[in-house]
Amino acid sequence: MDLSFLVVVVIITALVFDFTNGFHDTANAMATSIATGALRPKVAVGLSAVLNLVGAFISTEVAHTISSGLVDDTLITVPIVFGGLVGAILWNLLTWYLGLPSSSSHALFGGLIGATWIAAGSGAVNFGTVVQKIIVPAVAAPIVAGVVALLGTYLAYKITARARKKSVEEGFRAGQIASASLVSLAHGTGDAQKTMGIITLVLITSGSLAQGSRPPLWVIFAAGMAIALGTYLGGWRIIRTMGKGLTEIESPQGFAAETSSTAVLLASSHLGFPLSTTQVCSGSILGAGLGKRLAEVRWTVAGRMALAWLFTLPAAAIVGALSGRVANSGNLGVALIAVLALVAGGGLYAASRRKPVNSANVNEYPSTPAASSATAAV
């Protein structure tokens, strides 16, 4: 297989990951606005898609961290990057099918780290950068976002305690349009950059760009378009889990959650920290639930989400390691991994069509076993 053709294949695979990132993470920006009725489902995902594309052009700090910080680009090959992407894509599809809002970012990092480690050795992974810019922020960010959302929710209800409930709901719903839009903008700024960083890493590895280069304009545009298209299709399974499954969200809570998420995400993008948008937004929603007195928080759902967060990095790393090892063996290995990935992805998509969730039933979260058997989560 000619190297230039392989580079094209890996770039396309990276954009496929970016596409899955879009529909996997649509819930981060729009789940609460859809749940409270601030935005109609189709309008919400359309608005989010446009702002994801705009956000992709705001910063490239996170992309630079990935292309020049996580792994030693002098010790890896293009097939290794391909294997890492396959690990990330398959984990995204699996968690989407299960309706679990796991981290697309950590799936990508895990796949890349696993593939690099198994093929080039542990010395090719910059563990100091991994700890400093991935592990520590992953633990701190959802806690910070949750605390901010909790305080914001408490203050929102305290300030409006004597106001008419209808006026409060309408006012905060209007505010949610702006706050959800800002989350979408922040999502495009953070998550689209991760694919930009991977494509830039491939171009550096293949000799098409100099070491330390930042993403070219065409890479920024392509990554922004891919994540925007995925966002527009809407990851309805995960939107249902985050909007209705974790806690019952009212418009003041939704506004507080979205505002706190935006602040944390934009600050991290500016500092070059590739945070998980999913973890930040989930932490904010949980904090917003706790901030309202007597609000119901479904801790079973929160526990499932926490387990998904815990296993994302190592699970994607294992799949990435196996895929990278096989892909790095030659042309046949790359072809074999590509076929297996297509079969696995197609199987998960076919299974999801048996009990589809869409814009019409996204707010119908099953509360009983009987309801759960009648309606799936997308």
Side-chain angles (χ1 to χ4, degrees):
M1 184 179 294
D2 182 72
L3 180 61
S4 60
F5 177 71
L6 180 57
V7 169
V8 172
V9 169
V10 177
I11 289 174
I12 292 173
T13 306
L15 293 175
V16 170
F17 165 77
D18 205 22
F19 173 80
T20 67
N21 190 350
F23 72 72
H24 193 280
D25 290 4
T26 310
N28 296 333
M30 292 300 173
T32 54
S33 293
I34 292 172
T36 63
L39 288 167
R40 295 194 302 273
K42 286 289 188 181
V43 173
V45 296
L47 177 61
S48 185
V50 172
L51 291 169
N52 272 190
L53 177 59
V54 174
F57 288 87
I58 292 179
S59 172
T60 59
E61 289 300 321
V62 172
H64 189 61
T65 296
I66 294 171
S67 64
S68 302
L70 293 184
V71 296
D72 187 341
D73 51 38
T74 64
L75 297 177
I76 64 173
T77 63
V78 175
I80 291 175
V81 179
F82 174 72
L85 286 168
V86 168
I89 290 170
L90 291 180
W91 181 258
N92 267 0
L93 290 175
L94 176 62
T95 50
W96 162 76
Y97 173 71
L98 297 173
L100 291 174
S102 70
S103 170
S104 297
S105 305
H106 288 181
L108 177 61
F109 303 148
L112 180 61
I113 290 169
T116 300
W117 193 344
I118 200 71
S122 60
V125 180
N126 297 326
F127 287 103
T129 301
V130 171
V131 172
Q132 180 184 359
K133 293 206 169 185
I134 297 178
I135 304 299
V136 173
V139 174
I143 296 174
V144 172
V147 170
V148 173
L150 187 154
L151 294 175
T153 299
Y154 174 79
L155 290 174
Y157 280 106
K158 191 75 173 177
I159 293 170
T160 60
R162 296 185 179 181
R164 288 193 310 156
K165 185 175 181 179
K166 184 177 180 181
S167 299
V168 172
E169 288 288 331
E170 291 177 351
F172 277 109
R173 281 178 183 172
Q176 274 194 274
I177 297 175
S179 59
S181 297
L182 287 173
V183 176
S184 294
L185 191 70
H187 181 247
T189 302
D191 279 37
Q193 286 192 66
K194 291 155 190 170
T195 298
M196 294 178 210
I198 290 296
I199 295 176
T200 303
L201 178 62
V202 169
L203 295 174
I204 292 172
T205 301
S206 65
S208 301
L209 287 177
Q211 291 186 19
S213 296
R214 290 185 178 270
L217 182 60
W218 70 266
V219 172
I220 298 173
F221 180 77
M225 285 297 296
I227 200 170
L229 181 59
T231 298
Y232 181 70
L233 292 181
W236 303 111
R237 289 178 181 268
I238 300 175
I239 289 175
R240 171 185 280 180
T241 299
M242 291 185 70
K244 289 292 185 178
L246 189 56
T247 184
E248 288 296 327
I249 289 288
E250 296 179 350
S251 55
Q253 296 167 284
F255 179 78
E258 291 160 357
T259 304
S260 64
S261 295
T262 300
V264 173
L265 290 170
L266 288 179
S268 68
S269 294
H270 177 71
L271 296 171
F273 291 141
L275 287 187
S276 164
T277 309
T278 301
Q279 291 183 352
V280 171
C281 293
S282 298
S284 294
I285 293 173
L286 183 59
L290 294 172
K292 180 179 183 294
R293 191 167 63 91
L294 301 180
E296 178 187 4
V297 176
R298 297 184 179 94
W299 291 107
T300 301
V301 176
R304 291 176 58 213
M305 289 168 50
L307 285 176
W309 294 355
L310 181 64
F311 285 111
T312 293
L313 200 68
I318 291 171
V319 178
L322 295 173
S323 301
R325 171 61 68 85
V326 175
N328 204 39
S329 66
N331 300 343
L332 183 60
V334 172
L336 177 62
I337 292 300
V339 170
L340 291 176
L342 287 172
V343 170
L348 287 170
Y349 177 78
S352 74
R353 295 304 88 194
R354 296 175 184 173
K355 295 179 180 179
V357 173
N358 50 44
S359 59
N361 62 2
V362 67
N363 281 335
E364 299 172 7
Y365 188 81
S367 56
T368 64
S372 180
S373 63
T375 309
V378 114

